[in-house]
Amino acid sequence: MGRWGHGCVVAAALAACSGDDDKAPPAEHTGETGTVPTGDDLDGDGVPSGDDCDDADPTVRPGVDERCDGRDTDCAPSTGAPPGTVGRSDGGNHATIGEAVAAAGPGATVWICEGTFLEAVTVDKDLTIRGLGAVVVDASGLGAGFDVVGASATIEDLTIVGGTGSVNGPAPENGGGVNGAASGGPGVLRRVVIEGCLAELGGGVAFGEEGGTLEDCTLRGNVAGTHGGAVYVLADADVVRTTIEDNTANGYGGGGGLAESAAARITDSVLE
């Protein structure tokens, strides 16, 4: 328990644009309202600067629906995004994390407003996923809390409980809380709590061949059927200011398990 061990696990196109130099450039306008910015409406959203709480952003103005994005979108401080909603930087609100992730474009940020979400989410594009307030993702009996497949994900400021892993990876179930065993890039977890999760490999987290980072995280009470009770790493990992405690593995590495060629760089962390 609380130890790291090694095992043996097999581990854009450039688009050219051409145009007619004689054509005049289109009039400047915003994609939100189509209004041309003026001296008293700098973002072109149709609201004068004196009435607009953010006249540099056309998505923020009086009368719009409050979005789950951590901002005062409707310029009314007394209102806020409904708890249990999920927003995204390239769109509006959604009822579930999965819906927001599916609708988001690559590189977008998905914001999760305060609440408990009973779901397991597949992330198949590069995204940042960030909790706002007390956010719990309860994946009990549903799979990995977040299953990152062929993409890179940054996950911040939330709690994941009850995850049971994903088939994506070298074991029957990989990464109970967050499975990055089949990711397409390094995974980053910041200020994430993962507890009470279970998988064959990486009870709390499994990082793939692109490696990953745990920063200011807590991994507690997770169980691996074979290796890596808290975390299993196929490549390299950075563990920074992270608490890893009371995790177990039936094989090796209750705290953390490493594939044969992997390494963990641990800084200012607690492993028990």
Side-chain angles (χ1 to χ4, degrees), residues 42-160:
L42 301 180
D43 58 8
D45 61 4
V47 178
S49 298
D51 299 324
D52 195 333
C53 59
D54 187 349
D55 205 26
D57 187 342
T59 68
V60 177
R61 63 186 186 277
V64 301
D65 291 335
E66 190 69 68
R67 294 179 177 174
C68 176
D69 59 6
R71 303 178 301 166
D72 180 17
T73 313
D74 65 356
C75 295
S78 62
T79 63
T85 58
V86 186
R88 53 188 171 90
S89 58
D90 55 357
N93 289 338
H94 298 270
T96 69
I97 305 169
E99 288 178 4
V101 166
T109 296
V110 171
W111 293 287
I112 309 171
C113 278
E114 184 167 339
T116 297
F117 295 80
L118 304 177
E119 55 184 306
V121 181
T122 297
V123 181
D124 58 1
K125 65 197 78 170
D126 294 352
L127 294 175
T128 295
I129 299 171
R130 180 176 301 140
L132 300 175
V135 173
V136 177
V137 178
D138 185 349
S140 297
L142 301 174
F146 291 93
D147 187 17
V148 185
V149 183
S152 177
T154 296
I155 300 172
E156 301 175 330
D157 301 305
L158 51 80
T159 296
I160 304 168

Side-chain angles (χ1 to χ4, degrees), residues 91-263:
N93 289 338
H94 298 270
T96 69
I97 305 169
E99 288 178 4
V101 166
T109 296
V110 171
W111 293 287
I112 309 171
C113 278
E114 184 167 339
T116 297
F117 295 80
L118 304 177
E119 55 184 306
V121 181
T122 297
V123 181
D124 58 1
K125 65 197 78 170
D126 294 352
L127 294 175
T128 295
I129 299 171
R130 180 176 301 140
L132 300 175
V135 173
V136 177
V137 178
D138 185 349
S140 297
L142 301 174
F146 291 93
D147 187 17
V148 185
V149 183
S152 177
T154 296
I155 300 172
E156 301 175 330
D157 301 305
L158 51 80
T159 296
I160 304 168
V161 300
T164 53
S166 163
V167 298
N168 294 308
E173 294 91 22
N174 307 271
V178 176
N179 179 39
S183 67
V188 178
L189 276 61
R190 295 192 182 100
R191 300 173 299 278
V192 173
V193 176
I194 300 177
E195 56 185 349
C197 293
L198 169 70
E200 189 71 13
L201 198 64
V205 179
F207 284 132
E209 295 182 355
E210 301 294 333
T213 298
L214 297 171
E215 184 176 316
D216 298 306
C217 294
T218 299
L219 281 70
R220 179 188 301 116
N222 303 290
V223 178
T226 54
H227 312 312
V231 55
Y232 189 85
V233 183
L234 288 170
D236 295 348
D238 290 291
V239 181
V240 182
R241 297 183 302 275
T242 288
T243 298
I244 296 176
E245 59 185 7
D246 298 329
N247 303 277
T248 59
N250 291 330
Y252 62 77
L258 304 172
E260 190 170 69
S261 60

